[in-house]
Amino acid sequence: MSELLELNILPSPKTVEESLVAETTSEDVVRRIHTLKEELRDKVVILGHHYQRDDIVQFADRTGDSFELARYASELYDREFIIFCGVHFMAETADVLSGDNQKVILPDLKAGCSMSDMARAEQVYDVWDEIGEQLDTAKLCPITYMNSSAAIKAFCGEHGGAVSTSSNNKALFEWAFSQGFEKILFFPDQHLGRNTAFYQMGIPLEQIRLYDQTKPLGGLTPEELRSAKILLWRGHCSVHQHFQSSHPNIMRALYPGIQVLVHPECNFDVVRQADKVGSTAYIIKTVEQAPPGSMWAIGTEHHMVNRLRKEHPEQFITTLAPYACECSTMFRISPESLLDILENLKRGVVKNQISVEASEKKWARVALERMLEVTRKAQ
Ligand code: SF4
């Protein structure tokens, strides 16, 4: 393996870091953002997702994963403007959970999420009707991962279901069965759904079925559909799919003693080989609590891994893949776009507001509040 390193086929963590595009923001932009933040401090709060680059995180009043930021948004009633440095579905969620007097702003409207785009509302309605020709959908609970549009969250709320995140997916699946539902339809991330159902709940794989929305009846026979407990939408994260089942062993061979720590959006085989698996918040906590000298190969978005590495020089931290896996849509939020939003607010102009339709807002809020309630009880 060391020959591969010498041949530069597998770069060392240092090489990975050096290969990054430098994230430098001009001093003038940094100064102007700080000045405007100070001038608007009673009206504005800036939220930053952990996957944002460092030159955005430096301006965030609060950082978190999608669950933590959703909770903050539901508690920040004293700020008129919530500037959400994340992606579109997160800003929608903040709009659903925030007060009527508040406005949520996404600095770059092109900051979407490829996973969220894999489940369109019209497709979900069609699939629901298709399944309804075979089963009683009153016994089927739709649960959507946070990484989905407000329209899909609303669909779940209206049909007795809920939203989940990677930190509470098991609790939401258990809640669904405790409500008398016999099956769950989970979207959009097949990997989180399968990893939760199999590794955390012990549901056999024969009862966990991929429902391929591009095929008639999801590519299943009526009998397979009837015997399934969990139906998984065919979606995935384009960042976490880069982690492959060969990577844990490569890292263990390169760095004896290293522990593999991955996000459950990674595929089933990667998760099977990991030492630890959990949400973004869990990954951060695990590293924070580890003793000096600990060694980690982490399977999640690169900016977060790199930040952990810088914050914990007493440990050895590298990305699980032998290259950087970054979320290119998260990366669209730049200091310049943030500055543009603040300058417009200073002039009284609200740019890039994210506003969920009232009809969707009502049911999306029901689905999100079910999640918050289930999580509160599970803690
Ligand atoms: S990391 Fe994956 S799931 Fe998260 S925003 Fe990027 S594409 Fe979407």
Side-chain angles (χ1 to χ4, degrees):
M1 201 65 67
S2 59
E3 292 91 350
L4 295 179
L5 256 178
E6 279 160 24
L7 291 168
N8 255 347
I9 293 171
L10 292 172
S12 71
K14 190 156 180 286
T15 317
V16 169
E17 186 202 4
E18 286 167 354
S19 70
L20 286 173
V21 178
E23 292 174 14
T24 49
T25 309
S26 81
E27 283 179 18
D28 180 50
V29 170
V30 172
R31 183 184 49 74
R32 282 156 66 199
I33 292 175
H34 280 305
T35 304
L36 284 163
K37 260 194 79 179
E38 182 57 23
E39 287 174 11
L40 296 165
R41 69 176 186 280
D42 295 334
K43 291 184 173 176
V44 169
V45 63
I46 299 176
L47 302 184
H49 191 272
H50 287 307
Y51 294 173
Q52 290 289 301
R53 37 173 139 166
D54 288 353
D55 58 0
I56 286 295
V57 167
Q58 66 176 321
F59 302 117
D61 296 301
R62 292 187 180 184
T63 53
D65 61 14
S66 57
F67 175 69
E68 291 164 326
L69 294 178
R71 209 165 43 190
Y72 291 150
S74 70
E75 293 165 354
L76 289 168
Y77 285 101
D78 60 330
R79 305 295 174 91
E80 190 178 347
F81 302 106
I82 298 173
I83 302 180
F84 208 113
C85 296
V87 291
H88 193 270
F89 75 80
M90 297 176 186
E92 278 192 330
T93 303
D95 184 53
V96 169
L97 291 174
S98 58
D100 292 341
N101 58 328
Q102 293 176 296
K103 295 182 176 60
V104 177
I105 294 168
L106 185 64
D108 186 328
L109 293 179
K110 293 199 190 79
C113 163
S114 54
M115 178 197 286
S116 169
D117 292 344
M118 287 174 198
R120 287 182 290 105
E122 300 72 30
Q123 278 180 308
V124 169
Y125 307 151
D126 287 349
V127 161
W128 191 258
D129 290 344
E130 188 179 50
I131 294 175
E133 290 168 13
Q134 306 289 330
L135 304 172
D136 179 3
T137 47
K139 295 179 181 158
L140 178 64
C141 185
I143 295 185
T144 187
Y145 190 24
M146 182 72 92
N147 304 21
S148 57
S149 68
I152 290 178
K153 292 183 176 82
F155 175 86
C156 291
E158 198 170 359
H159 290 83
V163 176
S164 71
T165 70
S166 51
S167 57
N168 59 25
N169 205 38
K170 175 175 177 257
L172 267 298
F173 277 16
E174 287 172 347
W175 165 83
F177 291 127
S178 75
Q179 301 300 298
F181 289 106
E182 292 175 0
K183 297 176 194 295
I184 291 170
L185 174 60
F186 182 67
F187 13 61
D189 186 13
Q190 59 167 300
H191 301 302
L192 175 63
R194 188 178 295 107
N195 291 330
T196 303
F198 183 81
Y199 292 118
Q200 291 191 279
M201 299 174 72
I203 297 174
L205 283 177
E206 314 81 73
Q207 293 177 19
I208 306 168
R209 294 284 184 186
L210 183 67
Y211 193 99
D212 184 344
Q213 62 276 11
T214 64
K215 295 181 179 164
L217 207 58
L220 300 175
T221 63
E223 177 46 35
E224 285 170 337
L225 188 65
R226 269 191 289 279
S227 63
K229 277 188 93 164
I230 309 282
L231 294 167
L232 303 170
W233 193 262
R234 188 178 173 185
H236 62 266
C237 167
S238 49
V239 175
H240 289 87
Q241 74 161 353
H242 287 293
F243 299 105
Q244 297 299 313
S245 56
S246 57
H247 291 155
N249 281 341
I250 289 173
M251 284 298 164
R252 286 177 180 126
L254 276 173
Y255 308 108
I258 203 163
Q259 295 188 75
V260 175
L261 172 58
V262 303
H263 192 281
E265 285 175 22
C266 292
N267 74 43
F268 188 78
D269 290 332
V270 171
V271 167
R272 180 164 47 82
Q273 295 185 58
D275 297 294
K276 292 177 187 289
V277 184
S279 67
T280 303
Y282 171 85
I283 290 172
I284 293 172
K285 198 168 146 200
T286 300
V287 171
E288 281 174 354
Q289 294 178 347
S294 299
M295 298 170 70
W296 302 105
I298 303 182
T300 194
E301 204 274 344
H302 169 73
H303 286 95
M304 197 185 96
V305 177
N306 207 35
R307 193 171 308 120
L308 282 171
R309 198 177 54 72
K310 284 191 227 159
E311 287 170 358
H312 295 279
E314 81 287 0
Q315 300 182 41
F316 176 86
I317 295 171
T318 182
T319 174
L320 175 60
Y323 42 77
C325 298
E326 74 171 26
C327 178
S328 55
T329 47
M330 285 271 183
F331 193 72
R332 292 197 74 95
I333 308 293
S334 64
E336 290 73 17
S337 61
L338 177 60
L339 176 61
D340 182 44
I341 294 298
L342 290 167
E343 285 179 336
N344 273 285
L345 283 180
K346 178 73 180 161
R347 287 195 293 270
V349 178
V350 181
K351 204 176 160 191
N352 293 2
Q353 183 180 350
I354 301 298
S355 204
V356 176
E357 277 180 34
S359 56
E360 281 179 3
K361 211 173 211 178
K362 175 185 162 192
W363 286 112
R365 193 176 182 112
V366 168
L368 283 159
E369 284 180 344
R370 283 186 187 131
M371 174 193 77
L372 293 170
E373 180 63 17
V374 169
T375 311
R376 256 192 301 273
K377 285 186 181 157
Q379 281 168 347

